[in-house]
Amino acid sequence: MTLTPIQEAALLELYPAVAQLPTALRTAVLGGQAGWMRAPQGLTMFAEGQACQGFPMLLSGEIRVARGAANGRSLELYRVQPGNLCVASTASLFGQQQLAAQGVCVQDCEFVLLSPAGFAAWTADAGFRSYVFGIFSDRLIELMALTEAVAFQRLDQRLAAALLGHGPVLHLTHQALADELGTVREIVTRLLKRFEREGLLSLGRERIELLDPQALRALAM
């Protein structure tokens, strides 16, 4: 669908680098190489091994990007939120390679989708290209930190870290935590029950109440 003036204004506010493009270039791409789309929670927006169909710029919602394994396990790489760029899509379009990860909407999403040709036209502009590479660099640093955590930290440390920073009560499933940590639900459940026995937290149905965040923080270090 063609962008309305309100949707275009939201795009420019969330993505200042788009607003800074030359007006003729921005208008030409938005008019012929981009469209507004909506995707419901749970929809797989793109899958590993597929060709990249376009470059999403999120206006609302959230996308979980993960790598999967043959045994069905997955490891969350990052989340795309409004104003963020998707590194998997960027790498696929720049390298003209198949997608190396999958993206699933964890909330209802609205986004502007640039065609590959539209993305190529915008990245020919030095300012927009510099912006994209800057985001790419930030994500690479995050992924290096994730690799280090997976390789060198114990799972109980990583789980304790994952529980922190979201307030005293978390509303999520053990499976969601397992997906984030790249492990299986049974192991996460076992560790959570251990934390509960130690008085660190209290478990309920899709609910985790942190009772001793300071102890969890010490464990996560």
Side-chain angles (χ1 to χ4, degrees):
M1 295 174 59
T2 304
L3 275 71
T4 66
I6 292 176
Q7 291 160 354
E8 183 173 342
L11 175 70
L12 301 186
E13 182 177 355
L14 287 166
Y15 296 89
V18 176
Q20 293 166 8
L21 284 163
T23 302
L25 175 60
R26 182 178 68 246
T27 302
V29 169
L30 290 179
Q33 299 289 343
W36 174 86
M37 302 186 72
R38 175 181 289 154
Q41 180 180 356
L43 180 76
T44 298
M45 282 188 56
F46 53 85
E48 266 180 81
Q50 292 184 346
C52 185
Q53 301 301 310
F55 187 74
M57 291 178 291
L58 208 58
L59 303 181
S60 67
E62 186 174 62
I63 301 168
R64 177 181 182 268
V65 180
R67 286 271 293 179
N71 61 7
R73 291 168 56 182
S74 68
L75 176 64
E76 180 176 313
L77 301 177
Y78 57 89
R79 299 276 179 121
V80 181
Q81 297 173 329
N84 297 159
L85 299 183
C86 177
V87 171
S89 300
T90 305
S92 179
L93 291 171
F94 271 135
Q96 298 183 345
Q97 301 290 328
Q98 294 177 327
L99 287 155
Q102 71 166 3
V104 177
C105 297
V106 295
Q107 301 173 10
D108 292 343
C109 292
E110 294 180 78
F111 56 96
V112 174
L113 187 69
L114 286 186
S115 70
F119 178 75
W122 277 3
T123 52
D125 176 81
F128 189 80
R129 187 171 61 250
S130 176
Y131 164 71
V132 171
F133 279 136
I135 300 295
F136 199 95
S137 174
D138 291 342
R139 286 294 192 195
L140 180 59
I141 292 170
E142 292 175 9
L143 291 175
M144 289 173 67
L146 175 62
T147 301
E148 181 181 1
V150 171
F152 301 117
Q153 281 189 304
R154 300 194 320 266
L155 189 58
D156 59 349
Q157 287 179 288
R158 293 170 53 214
L159 176 58
L163 294 171
L164 295 167
H166 307 288
V169 178
L170 291 77
H171 296 280
L172 77 174
T173 65
H174 297 189
Q175 185 62 59
L177 279 169
D179 290 343
E180 180 178 345
L181 297 172
T183 186
V184 295
R185 179 183 55 79
E186 291 79 7
I187 293 177
V188 167
T189 297
R190 192 179 307 134
L191 286 171
L192 287 172
K193 288 182 177 177
R194 192 194 91 189
F195 290 173
E196 186 175 42
R197 289 194 303 270
E198 294 172 353
L200 306 183
L201 51 79
S202 175
L203 298 174
R205 184 175 177 81
E206 296 189 12
R207 184 179 188 275
I208 302 171
E209 181 179 0
L210 306 188
L211 303 178
D212 193 345
Q214 186 173 355
L216 285 169
R217 194 169 292 108
L219 177 60
M221 295 177 63

